[in-house]
């Protein structure tokens, strides 16, 4: 029963990543898949365990990856939007705005390294934040007057909450990993 629930959860997660065409989601999926395969292959504890949940999970991930690859080859029009997003991230100047936001986030952190500029302060103070690398926006972006977030979780936490917030963020992430390890240990 638990394996079926886990497999259904993973399928929904994979479909969500595919439907949103999230580049970060795809990168994290590939990273998680690689780390999990390495962990299962190099861990003696896993080789001796009775509950081999990673095997069906890996089988589902490999199956879904093959199906998605075949869909891309068979129906390239469906995935045209994803390829457009990947190309725009690499080759077009559309990302200059992201670099501008990253520059502002780093500048605001350097100005207020301990506590940051306050939660939600980045988008409110965007026009007045300092820059480090002096990224210059093209004119058509300057006249838009957008109030955006950093578009990068780590830089957002760093600029808005400083070292204190980053420490809390890292403690939270370490706590999640520790809890996950305990759950895996208890399951076996």
């Amino acid at each position: 029963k638990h394996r079926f629930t886990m497999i259904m959860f993973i399928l929904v997660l994979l479909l969500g990543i595919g439907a949103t065409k999230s580049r970060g989601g795809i990168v994290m999926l590939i990273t998680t898949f690689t780390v999990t395969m390495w962990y299962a292959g190099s861990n003696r504890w896993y080789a001796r365990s009775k509950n081999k949940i990673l095997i069906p999970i890996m089988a589902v991930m490999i199956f879904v990856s093959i199906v998605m690859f075949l869909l891309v080859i068979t129906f390239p029009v469906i995935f045209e939007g994803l390829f457009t997003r990947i190309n725009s991230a690499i080759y077009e100047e559309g990302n200059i705005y992201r670099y501008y936001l990253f520059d502002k986030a780093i500048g605001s952190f350097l100005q207020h390294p301990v506590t940051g500029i306050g939660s939600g302060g980045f988008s409110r103070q965007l026009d007045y934040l300092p820059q480090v690398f002096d990224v210059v926006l093209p004119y058509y972006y300057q006249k838009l007057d957008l109030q955006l977030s950093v578009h990068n979780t780590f830089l957002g936490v760093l600029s808005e909450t400083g070292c204190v917030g980053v420490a809390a963020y890292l403690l939270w992430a370490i706590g999640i990993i520790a809890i996950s390890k305990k759950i895996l240990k208890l399951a076996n």
Side-chain angles (χ1 to χ4, degrees), residues 1-103:
K1 179 181 177 182
H2 295 291
R3 282 187 185 182
F4 178 76
T5 305
M6 181 69 77
I7 289 170
M8 292 309 296
F9 177 74
I10 289 170
L11 279 174
V12 169
L13 180 67
L14 291 173
L15 289 172
I17 289 171
T20 60
K21 301 173 187 167
S22 168
R23 293 175 293 218
I26 292 169
V27 168
M28 286 309 297
L29 180 67
I30 292 168
T31 304
T32 302
F33 181 74
T34 304
V35 168
T36 305
M37 291 297 283
W38 171 79
Y39 179 76
S42 67
N43 195 324
R44 290 184 194 148
W45 164 80
Y46 181 75
R48 291 188 310 248
S49 73
K50 295 174 187 164
N51 186 5
K52 300 207 182 289
I53 189 72
L54 290 179
I55 293 172
I57 290 172
M58 292 295 109
V60 167
M61 289 177 74
I62 290 169
F63 174 75
V64 169
S65 300
I66 291 170
V67 167
M68 289 180 77
F69 178 73
L70 291 173
L71 282 172
V72 167
I73 292 173
T74 311
F75 306 106
V77 175
I78 295 173
F79 295 92
E80 224 172 79
L82 178 62
F83 297 136
T84 303
R85 284 177 56 98
I86 291 170
N87 280 337
S88 73
I90 297 170
Y91 301 111
E92 293 181 14
E93 70 174 37
N95 276 335
I96 191 74
Y97 211 96
R98 282 184 189 244
Y99 302 142
Y100 172 76
L101 295 171
F102 296 170
D103 187 16

Side-chain angles (χ1 to χ4, degrees), residues 96-152:
I96 191 74
Y97 211 96
R98 282 184 189 244
Y99 302 142
Y100 172 76
L101 295 171
F102 296 170
D103 187 16
K104 291 278 195 168
I106 293 167
S108 68
F109 167 70
L110 292 175
Q111 196 173 44
H112 304 279
V114 178
T115 59
I117 58 174
S119 183
F122 185 83
S123 60
R124 288 192 306 267
Q125 301 174 31
L126 183 59
D127 294 337
Y128 309 106
L129 296 175
Q131 287 183 268
V132 176
F133 304 107
D134 294 322
V135 176
V136 179
L137 289 177
Y139 176 72
Y140 51 87
Y141 280 124
Q142 291 176 5
K143 65 181 182 178
L144 290 177
D145 191 34
L146 299 173
Q147 300 296 315
L148 299 173
S149 67
V150 181
H151 282 71
N152 181 302

